[in-house]
Amino acid sequence: MPDATIQAPTANDALWMAHALQLAAKGLMTTGVNPRVGCVLVKEDQLIGAGWHERAGEAHAEVMALRDAESRGNDAAGATAYVTLEPCAHHGKTPPCAEALIKAGIARVVAAMEDPNPLVAGQGFALLQQAGIAVAAPLMAAEAEALNIGFVQRMRQGKPWVRLKMAGSLDGRSALANGQSQWITGPEARADGHRFRARAQAIITGVGTVIDDDPLLTLRDVEPPMGQSGQPVPLMPLLRIVVDSHLRIPTTAKILQGGCLVATASTDAAKIDALRVAGAEVICFPDAYGRVDLAALLEDLAKRGINEVHVEAGATLSGAFVRADLVDELLVYIAPTLLGSDARGWFDGLNLISLEQKTEWTFKDVRMVGVDLRVIACLSVAP
């Protein structure tokens, strides 16, 4: 029987775990539906191997670290493995990492956190202990969760992490009254926004934005990270989604090029068939008011393995997400300009009649990006 006692990490362990977390962050834009994980192997207080999970379907961090140790001529037997997530114990697209560590003769495993995936959830630790490997956890769990905020939420709550991106002026305006908005913020802010796009697996916009701007919603201005082979790791493709309650999207819209998902409340068979011919997948999630049920859409995306959703939309859809309490994080770029009261705002339909109805947010990060201000805020949790 395995030893059910998980050891407490030591102060020295934190130094190596910090290194593993830095490696995990290298997969921020490339692991897709999989968690971002880093691993370092240490023997006699010396680093003998290191690796991170680069892309979904490819080798996990532990296997990459073992390969690295072997390529350096180092024997991993008797080493300590520092890994930012509990080693998996199930067969997916790759064999279990726990078995790879056992086969390599690892003596001790220090993990940042238990894997929230019910297919693992402590089973990796148990498998290691059954093989006589000492296990210590948790260590720097908050940092590990922050790297995988969407994966953790999807596993624990069955919904992806929703990041709503807004850009506008000091007076909270996103476009002129005639719809002109290109460009309020500077090139550095726009490039930064694309990097946040790249860490998501899906991007959502509304049909109004498609009709007004005809965007592609692809990735631009994002350099792929270098992999452990010394070659760039391809970015994961975005699932592009249009919320279109009444199927107003033109079949000539650019976003249909290469395929996209259209979420609707309409059952108009002719329009649905035309969109499918144009390359779209059409899903119908009507709510009681004849609009798209956004919560049902997010639940569907979670079932598809989507961890993080990036919303870039106009005031109507942005307001709908906020009203439905479906936004986890606001990503706001503020330009040092004023557009005036006739310009378009960020959110429609909030319509508060008392301050008690306001939603509370917590500032997580505030910094300059070029000439613009970037604010990241997360929904506050009531004490």
Side-chain angles (χ1 to χ4, degrees):
M1 293 295 290
D3 178 5
T5 302
I6 302 294
Q7 298 176 358
T10 68
N12 191 53
D13 288 335
L15 297 174
W16 295 113
M17 186 59 73
H19 187 182
L21 286 165
Q22 289 177 337
L23 294 175
K26 291 177 180 288
L28 201 63
M29 298 184 293
T30 61
T31 58
V33 300
N34 285 359
R36 298 122 182 177
V37 182
C39 177
V40 297
L41 304 177
V42 178
K43 192 172 184 179
E44 297 176 354
D45 210 30
Q46 297 293 317
L47 178 70
I48 64 167
W52 65 93
H53 181 44
E54 293 184 350
R55 215 163 189 269
E58 299 181 5
H60 289 187
E62 297 92 328
V63 173
M64 296 296 283
L66 290 169
R67 290 177 182 173
D68 182 54
E70 184 178 5
S71 71
R72 299 184 192 200
N74 294 328
D75 183 4
T80 295
Y82 294 88
V83 60
T84 59
L85 187 69
E86 175 187 2
C88 60
H90 67 289
H91 284 268
K93 292 183 178 180
T94 60
C97 294
E99 290 184 1
L101 294 175
I102 293 168
K103 184 178 179 180
I106 294 295
R108 181 171 177 257
V109 172
V110 181
M113 60 179 288
E114 182 179 290
D115 193 334
N117 186 342
L119 294 175
V120 185
Q123 296 181 53
F125 290 155
L127 193 61
L128 294 169
Q129 289 178 318
Q130 285 174 344
I133 296 174
V135 176
L139 177 62
M140 304 177 76
E143 291 86 345
E145 284 202 22
L147 274 176
N148 291 299
I149 199 163
F151 175 78
V152 171
Q153 178 157 292
R154 179 167 68 89
M155 290 299 163
R156 291 177 179 170
Q157 301 180 32
K159 60 180 182 180
W161 182 264
V162 176
R163 181 178 295 109
L164 174 60
K165 182 251 185 179
M166 303 296 299
S169 61
L170 273 173
D171 50 350
R173 302 295 169 174
S174 61
L176 298 180
N178 62 10
Q180 184 180 353
S181 62
Q182 298 181 344
W183 298 102
I184 297 173
T185 53
E188 295 89 352
R190 297 197 297 274
D192 190 69
H194 274 270
R195 285 189 285 273
F196 274 93
R197 269 192 196 183
R199 66 171 288 169
Q201 294 78 54
I203 183 169
I204 295 178
T205 196
V207 67
T209 298
V210 173
I211 291 172
D212 290 345
D213 301 335
D214 199 18
L216 280 168
L217 292 187
T218 51
L219 295 174
R220 301 187 303 275
D221 302 320
V222 180
E223 289 289 333
M226 297 300 293
Q228 287 147 265
S229 66
Q231 298 298 315
V233 181
L235 302 177
M236 297 297 292
L238 275 172
L239 174 61
R240 299 172 298 163
I241 304 162
V242 180
V243 174
D244 183 5
S245 295
H246 307 297
L247 291 182
R248 296 189 293 129
I249 183 172
T251 55
T252 56
K254 291 178 181 176
I255 198 170
L256 297 175
Q257 298 173 14
C260 78
L261 184 67
V262 176
T264 186
S266 172
T267 56
D268 188 321
K271 288 184 178 179
I272 291 172
D273 287 344
L275 286 171
R276 286 174 174 161
V277 169
E281 177 187 353
V282 182
I283 55 176
C284 188
F285 289 121
D287 67 8
Y289 306 98
R291 298 185 293 260
V292 172
D293 186 330
L294 298 176
L297 170 60
L298 293 177
E299 183 179 342
D300 178 80
L301 295 180
K303 291 177 181 177
R304 295 169 186 252
I306 300 298
N307 295 321
E308 295 183 25
V309 172
H310 188 86
V311 179
E312 285 193 31
T316 300
L317 185 58
S318 296
F321 266 98
V322 172
R323 287 198 312 276
D325 224 9
L326 296 173
V327 178
D328 299 294
E329 182 178 311
L330 292 173
L331 172 66
V332 184
Y333 297 91
I334 303 172
T337 57
L338 299 174
L339 297 184
S341 59
D342 289 339
R344 298 181 182 181
W346 284 341
F347 305 105
D348 283 349
L350 298 187
N351 301 326
L352 307 185
I353 59 173
S354 72
L355 287 177
E356 285 71 25
Q357 293 176 298
K358 68 182 184 298
T359 55
E360 300 280 356
W361 298 80
T362 300
F363 291 133
K364 294 296 185 182
D365 185 82
V366 179
R367 69 180 64 190
M368 297 298 296
V369 179
V371 299
D372 304 308
L373 184 68
R374 188 188 77 189
V375 177
I376 298 177
C378 291
L379 195 62
S380 299
V381 178

